[in-house]
Amino acid sequence: MTQTQTIEFKRHTPHPEQTLWSAEAIQALFDLPFNDLLFQAQQVHRENFDANRVQLSTLLSVKTGGCSEDCGYCSQSKRYDTGLEEQKLMDADDVIAAAAIAKENGSSRFCMGAAWRGPKNRDLEEVKKMIAGVKALGLETCATFGMLKDGQAEQLKDAGLDYYNHNLDTSEEKYRDIVSTHSYADRLDTLGKARKAGLNVCSGGIVGLGETRLDRIGLIGQLANLDPQPDSVPINNLVQIDGTPLDGSEKVDWTEFVRTIAVARITMPKSFVRLSAGRQQMPEAMQALCFLAGANSIFYGDKLLTTGNPEVEGDKALFRKLNLQPL
Ligand code: SAM
Ligand code: DTB
Ligand code: SF4
């Protein structure tokens, strides 16, 4: 494939020590025999992490549905009839109570998601209360609220926010087919604002949007060439939602999903690579291969934002079978 030569990754904040990943180098990883790729990924993983520990994050949708954006995969856009029940911003006390349960169940990070293009300044008071309350429980805090305006990341940081999740989702070229209401440049801008405010960055993408391998190479290249690299990289397998434009997209073979995890691990050796949405539809053996490929974080608890996730008891049993320990 010579097409990769056309992709050029930009360096956003020059930092000469960091490896610049070319599209060719990333493609060469994808092209490795499966066993060679997994072996290399596991080696890189062991050089940087305890290979038998997996970090657990619990998600809660603190504002659900009615979103102005048109992301073609999402149950929460008001443009698609997905049958989702809308819910206004939750009270901080209810969010904190849910976080306490997540902590009892063994989660170390609590991630609050809102179906917003971005937060309005008037929403920030309640949001800051929930962040401070969750942090006070001794949990790491993470939020995913969409695009941030100047000054908002600093306010979230001051309230006690540890991580900001904002995914690039796919390659820059493919992004235009998936979303029209905001741009890739907008996504990169928010990631820059989060970093500048001193927040840890969580950014990843989705496999199964109808993208090509070249798009997956583009996504990994964009993430791996962020400087610094994201602290956490969620790799989601598309959960197809009735009523969205991407329902019925061609499913990606499981080997390609595991390869994407392995390539993320090799190119971002110190980042937590999170095996994210889509686990409920994945056989245990495939999840085990994702851990072997270097995934070391999962969403834990029976719900993601609006869709299902494996039951806690099932995940506990899987961890026992694989002798994995939570981090
Ligand atoms: N509104 C905010 C935003 O778009 O950044 C935050 C919430 S949004 C639901 C967070 C991320 O969830 C998306 O960027 C996407 O990666 C993931 N996601 C949403 N719906 C999904 C689906 N059906 N399958 C897999 N991942 C999904
Ligand atoms: C991420 O990358 N995946 C999570 C989290 N970040 C916010 C969200 C997955 C959502 C899956 C579809 C749903 O439950 O609505
Ligand atoms: Fe809105 Fe986020 Fe869903 Fe896009 S992904 S429609 S911004 S909730």
Side-chain angles (χ1 to χ4, degrees):
M1 239 196 283
T2 50
Q3 256 176 309
T4 48
Q5 263 125 33
T6 59
I7 305 183
E8 264 187 44
F9 298 119
K10 289 181 207 84
R11 175 62 36 119
H12 302 286
T13 48
H15 180 196
E17 301 85 65
Q18 195 182 306
T19 315
L20 178 63
W21 281 94
S22 68
E24 291 78 5
I26 300 170
Q27 178 170 318
L29 292 173
F30 270 101
D31 284 345
L32 282 172
F34 188 78
N35 285 343
D36 292 351
L37 175 61
L38 258 66
F39 182 65
Q40 192 177 325
Q42 180 63 202
Q43 278 180 317
V44 170
H45 191 40
R46 281 168 188 264
E47 282 160 18
N48 293 285
F49 290 99
D50 179 337
N52 299 306
R53 288 197 179 262
V54 172
Q55 190 273 333
L56 306 179
S57 296
T58 295
L59 269 174
L60 178 68
S61 180
V62 301
K63 186 268 172 185
T64 307
C67 184
S68 62
E69 303 305 280
D70 67 354
C71 310
Y73 48 79
C74 188
S75 61
Q76 305 201 68
S77 166
K78 68 177 174 202
R79 295 163 195 249
Y80 315 130
D81 183 8
T82 64
L84 184 72
E85 202 181 313
E86 289 183 27
Q87 189 193 45
K88 64 175 186 29
L89 183 62
M90 288 173 69
D91 288 341
D93 288 345
D94 295 334
V95 174
I96 298 162
I101 295 171
K103 188 182 178 192
E104 263 170 46
N105 281 330
S107 231
S108 60
R109 189 179 307 165
F110 193 71
C111 182
M112 293 154 269
W116 285 324
R117 172 178 165 86
K120 303 254 186 327
N121 282 329
R122 67 164 186 268
D123 296 320
L124 283 186
E125 283 319 305
E126 200 64 20
V127 157
K128 287 195 277 186
K129 259 196 250 166
M130 51 185 85
I131 292 170
V134 173
K135 179 84 177 167
L137 294 172
L139 284 162
E140 288 183 317
T141 53
C142 175
T144 182
F145 296 153
M147 291 186 275
L148 298 177
K149 296 188 201 49
D150 283 342
Q152 290 186 327
E154 286 76 7
Q155 289 191 60
L156 296 174
K157 169 82 183 161
D158 289 347
L161 190 66
D162 296 310
Y163 286 81
Y164 198 72
N165 166 248
H166 199 65
N167 291 340
L168 291 179
D169 280 329
T170 186
S171 68
E172 187 164 14
E173 296 73 20
K174 182 71 182 170
Y175 200 71
R176 288 186 270 274
D177 299 343
I178 305 289
V179 185
S180 76
T181 46
H182 55 258
S183 68
Y184 215 70
D186 292 330
R187 301 300 278 183
L188 289 166
D189 177 68
T190 288
L191 290 176
K193 287 188 165 106
R195 225 3 134 195
K196 195 158 143 271
L199 292 166
N200 293 301
V201 163
C202 170
S203 188
I206 311 182
V207 171
L209 300 169
E211 79 286 354
T212 61
R213 179 178 274 184
L214 209 56
D215 293 312
R216 291 186 283 278
I217 293 168
L219 168 69
I220 300 280
Q222 290 283 355
L223 295 168
N225 289 323
L226 288 175
D227 188 3
Q229 294 188 330
D231 302 278
S232 175
V233 180
I235 304 292
N236 297 279
N237 206 7
L238 178 70
V239 180
Q240 298 198 356
I241 310 279
D242 276 354
T244 58
L246 292 180
D247 185 30
S249 298
E250 196 182 335
K251 298 227 169 68
V252 171
D253 190 71
W254 65 271
T255 53
E256 186 67 10
F257 185 84
V258 177
R259 277 178 195 277
T260 307
I261 297 266
V263 175
R265 163 52 62 230
I266 294 167
T267 54
M268 292 173 271
K270 297 199 183 303
S271 310
F272 279 84
V273 174
R274 185 176 301 131
L275 170 56
S276 300
R279 277 200 312 118
Q280 200 177 38
Q281 293 75 17
M282 267 176 217
E284 285 189 345
M286 178 175 165
Q287 296 184 52
L289 280 171
C290 289
F291 296 132
L292 191 67
N296 60 348
S297 170
I298 57 168
F299 286 120
Y300 181 67
D302 23 331
K303 207 163 171 209
L304 291 166
L305 290 173
T306 67
T307 66
N309 197 41
E311 302 283 332
V312 162
E313 284 313 314
D315 276 343
K316 284 188 176 160
L318 178 61
F319 271 46
R320 278 195 298 274
K321 287 189 219 181
L322 301 176
N323 304 77
L324 290 174
Q325 298 287 332
L327 200 70

